[in-house]
Short mmCIF file of all heavy atoms in Angstrom, two decimals:
data_model
loop_
_atom_site.label_atom_id
_atom_site.label_comp_id
_atom_site.label_asym_id
_atom_site.label_seq_id
_atom_site.Cartn_x
_atom_site.Cartn_y
_atom_site.Cartn_z
N SER A 218 -1.37 -40.63 105.49
CA SER A 218 -0.36 -39.53 105.49
C SER A 218 -0.68 -38.70 104.23
O SER A 218 -0.72 -37.46 104.25
CB SER A 218 1.03 -39.98 105.26
OG SER A 218 1.34 -41.05 106.12
N HIS A 259 11.86 -36.73 113.47
CA HIS A 259 11.08 -37.96 114.12
C HIS A 259 11.21 -37.80 115.63
O HIS A 259 10.92 -38.80 116.28
CB HIS A 259 11.62 -39.28 113.63
CG HIS A 259 10.97 -39.68 112.40
ND1 HIS A 259 11.23 -39.14 111.22
CD2 HIS A 259 10.12 -40.71 112.17
CE1 HIS A 259 10.52 -39.69 110.18
NE2 HIS A 259 9.85 -40.68 110.79
N ALA A 315 -7.35 -28.76 115.82
CA ALA A 315 -8.47 -28.00 115.32
C ALA A 315 -8.76 -28.58 113.97
O ALA A 315 -10.03 -28.80 113.59
CB ALA A 315 -8.18 -26.54 115.23
N LEU A 347 -14.35 -39.87 110.48
CA LEU A 347 -15.85 -40.13 110.80
C LEU A 347 -16.62 -40.32 109.54
O LEU A 347 -16.39 -39.62 108.50
CB LEU A 347 -16.40 -38.92 111.50
CG LEU A 347 -15.81 -38.54 112.83
CD1 LEU A 347 -16.64 -37.28 113.37
CD2 LEU A 347 -15.90 -39.56 113.92
N ALA A 519 -7.74 -56.24 98.30
CA ALA A 519 -7.22 -56.49 96.98
C ALA A 519 -5.65 -56.69 97.00
O ALA A 519 -5.11 -57.66 96.44
CB ALA A 519 -7.60 -55.33 96.09
#
Side-chain angles (χ1 to χ4, degrees):
S218 314
H259 275 69
L347 298 182

